Amino acid sequence: MDTFDGRNELSREEFLARCRAKIAHDAREVTKTLTLEGVAKSITCPIFVVGGELDNLTPPHNAKRIAAEVTGPCQLLIVKGGNHVANNRRYMFQTQTADWMAERLGLPKR
């Protein structure tokens, strides 16, 4: 199963419209170009990568690869039980990301 076929029907139809593909085959070809592979190394600013352990849209191995490729300071957090971008487990990372950002901005600890 590829990244296009792994989506639900509504997501596939939306992607067809957004990439202006007339047929699923063309949309599948577009999905192959949607990656930060080889580009993430250009990220030199501090970055906090959050991934969900159960994310089917952007699996955890993608978050790990991006974190490994960036050349700037990076923190990686894979949220246990998290779905896409761990939206169902915000409470497990929201304060961590806020503290991380505050530290980067030089704000006092709470």
Side-chain angles (χ1 to χ4, degrees):
M1 180 181 327
D2 63 26
T3 56
F4 180 76
D5 290 327
R7 307 289 194 266
N8 65 46
E9 183 178 356
L10 182 60
S11 295
R12 287 192 310 269
E13 290 299 320
E14 173 67 17
F15 191 77
L16 277 165
R18 288 197 172 256
C19 72
R20 296 183 176 95
K22 301 231 186 288
I23 59 174
H25 175 270
D26 294 342
R28 280 187 203 92
E29 293 303 308
V30 171
T31 65
K32 294 175 185 175
T33 69
L34 303 176
T35 175
L36 287 176
E37 193 168 349
V39 178
K41 66 182 177 210
S42 299
I43 300 172
T44 59
C45 63
I47 184 171
F48 193 116
V49 179
V50 177
E53 174 188 48
L54 306 176
D55 191 338
N56 292 324
L57 295 174
T58 310
H61 69 270
N62 286 340
K64 292 174 184 174
R65 180 185 52 78
I66 290 168
E69 288 181 11
V70 300
T71 55
C74 179
Q75 183 162 338
L76 170 66
L77 175 63
I78 303 297
V79 179
K80 185 175 177 83
N83 61 11
H84 184 55
V85 196
N87 283 327
N88 66 326
R89 300 282 193 265
R90 285 186 108 124
Y91 63 91
M92 295 178 79
F93 72 90
Q94 199 165 20
T95 56
Q96 281 182 274
T97 56
D99 290 345
W100 180 87
M101 180 60 79
E103 184 179 317
R104 296 299 163 295
L105 296 173
L107 300 174
K109 292 190 177 193
R110 5 177 226 153

